[in-house]
Amino acid sequence: MTAAKPLRVGMIGYAFMGAAHSHAWRTAPRFFDLPLQPRLTAVAGRSAEGVRAAADKLGWESVETDWRRLIERDDIDLIDICTPGDTHAEIAIAALEAGKHVLCEKPLANSVEEAERMTLAAESAAKRGVLSMCGFSYRRTPALALAKRFVDQGRLGEIRHVRAQYLQDWLSDPTAPMTWRLDKSKSGSGSLGDIGAHSIDAAQWVTGQKISGVSALLETFVRERPLAGDMVGLGGHGDLSADAPRGSVTVDDAAIFGARFDGGAGPGAIGVFEATRYALGRKNAMRLEVNGSLGSVAFDFEDMNVLNFYDAAESPDAGFRKIFVTEPEHPYAGNWWPTGHGLGYEHGFTHQVVDLVTAIGQGIQPEPSFADALQVQRVLAAVEFSAANSSQWQKV
């Protein structure tokens, strides 16, 4: 059997997302038959000591301390961007123009204007066979993918309601230190873009409808936090005492908005969205419920191997039934463990690599495209505009 041609990957950033992506690149070809063989060729980061340690730990062959050098290398086929949002546009456009495929973490950028430039670059590159994708990894959760399958099969009928929440609590302590996620210049927004973007993408992807308008509220509960020295990860490190230097939080802590969907050929659904990092007791409750004229689906990532499904014709008096999404016929599940043996957070990133590498091998556009991610960016912008203008209705 002929060995698959290598796909030589260069990754930029090596913290939380970098570790998740590294695991995915290593694991995907060991459980799935891929048309190309991912090779962890190089990782880039600003700290020579830090990136060297990350390369040794995560399995990368070489390192760079300037992302530009990574893009210039002839032995790199794909650039994987795992950096804060303020760097996405510059890196992605440079990589695409250099003929490198691109995987970019979400949200695509920190503004609609940046996302538009990235999308134009992606569309131009695609004409030369250079492909790109935005990393909305929750699409690759088997239970959520099964929900989309049910919608596509018409088992929910006409979609009427969408209820989406993303609830975390890691910022609930007012003395928790600053991180880059709380600096608008680096992150673009707070809970809205960091986790709310996932809910927006998932809701639109599962239903097959786009959000066409919103009315929103944003709130920042704690406006100053200890600077703490290192602004990394879901937290920071350093002096948290009462007299420690403090910095201003310049993003939202929580977002709530109502939405109307375009409906495609029929009437659009209405939706309610909530994103917060202050929901005590909720660790990663990424939830989506969709109600239609024939049935409903409900998903919660804190019980990620389960999809709750209600079929009005099948059992009108029984309520939701629980589907444990580990059967061979379920999305992605057949490549893993025996029936009943659940998957975890990291598997979504592995499935993301599988879908991306498969698309590159076939020469087709992977999803979600930069254009898909631009539409999410436009929803984020509409939410921010509405919240800044007394929650007035804002078209997307």
Side-chain angles (χ1 to χ4, degrees), residues 245-362:
R246 292 180 175 264
S248 296
V249 175
T250 52
V251 299
D252 60 279
D253 285 330
I256 298 176
F257 63 95
R260 179 169 292 282
F261 290 74
D262 61 13
I270 56 174
V272 179
F273 289 75
E274 179 182 13
T276 180
R277 299 180 288 207
Y278 279 70
L280 278 168
R282 300 300 179 192
K283 302 305 177 183
N284 203 45
M286 189 277 196
R287 300 167 165 177
L288 181 68
E289 180 170 325
V290 180
N291 308 128
S293 59
L294 301 178
S296 298
V297 290
F299 168 78
D300 185 340
F301 193 78
E302 289 189 343
D303 196 9
M304 65 167 288
N305 290 290
V306 169
L307 180 67
N308 290 288
F309 175 54
Y310 175 72
D311 186 324
E314 179 182 276
S315 52
D317 300 323
F320 281 89
R321 66 181 174 93
K322 180 177 178 179
I323 302 172
F324 202 50
V325 188
T326 61
E327 298 296 319
E329 66 270 19
H330 292 151
Y332 306 106
N335 285 74
W336 293 101
W337 317 121
T339 296
H341 293 70
L343 303 185
Y345 174 70
E346 72 279 9
H347 290 83
F349 294 94
T350 301
H351 302 154
Q352 178 172 272
V353 163
V354 169
D355 290 346
L356 174 60
V357 174
T358 300
I360 292 173
Q362 295 175 349

Side-chain angles (χ1 to χ4, degrees), residues 11-181:
M11 187 177 75
I12 305 172
Y14 54 83
F16 172 27
M17 278 298 101
H21 283 223
S22 299
H23 181 277
W25 288 114
R26 291 195 312 268
T27 306
R30 290 170 170 81
F31 287 84
F32 293 79
D33 294 327
L34 301 180
L36 302 168
Q37 177 68 29
R39 180 174 172 181
L40 283 68
T41 302
V43 58
R46 289 173 296 179
S47 165
E49 181 181 358
V51 73
R52 181 71 264 172
D56 292 342
K57 181 177 182 179
L58 301 174
W60 294 88
E61 297 174 8
S62 62
V63 302
E64 297 285 352
T65 55
D66 186 334
W67 61 263
R68 296 169 184 83
R69 303 291 83 78
L70 194 67
I71 290 175
E72 291 170 356
R73 287 175 54 160
D74 293 332
D75 62 343
I76 298 294
D77 303 309
L78 181 146
I79 297 295
D80 184 358
I81 303 171
C82 298
T83 55
D86 63 317
T87 64
H88 287 184
E90 184 181 10
I91 296 172
I93 292 171
L96 291 166
E97 290 178 346
K100 315 292 187 185
H101 304 298
V102 172
L103 171 61
C104 183
E105 260 301 326
K106 48 50 62 187
L108 187 61
N110 279 2
S111 70
V112 170
E113 185 274 333
E114 287 179 339
E116 287 175 339
R117 288 194 289 113
M118 294 170 73
T119 301
L120 286 174
E123 291 172 347
S124 176
K127 296 175 183 177
R128 309 189 307 273
V130 179
L131 302 173
S132 54
M133 187 175 83
C134 188
F136 284 104
S137 58
Y138 286 108
R139 288 191 179 202
R140 273 76 191 191
T141 305
L144 201 58
L146 184 62
K148 175 173 175 54
R149 180 185 293 178
F150 285 174
V151 172
D152 290 347
Q153 291 172 342
R155 297 180 71 176
L156 270 63
E158 179 184 293
I159 304 302
R160 292 170 173 168
H161 289 281
V162 175
R163 231 161 272 105
Q165 294 179 310
Y166 203 144
L167 312 177
Q168 298 176 337
D169 70 355
W170 62 273
L171 269 179
S172 297
D173 182 352
T175 67
M178 284 285 293
T179 81
W180 66 266
R181 296 174 190 273

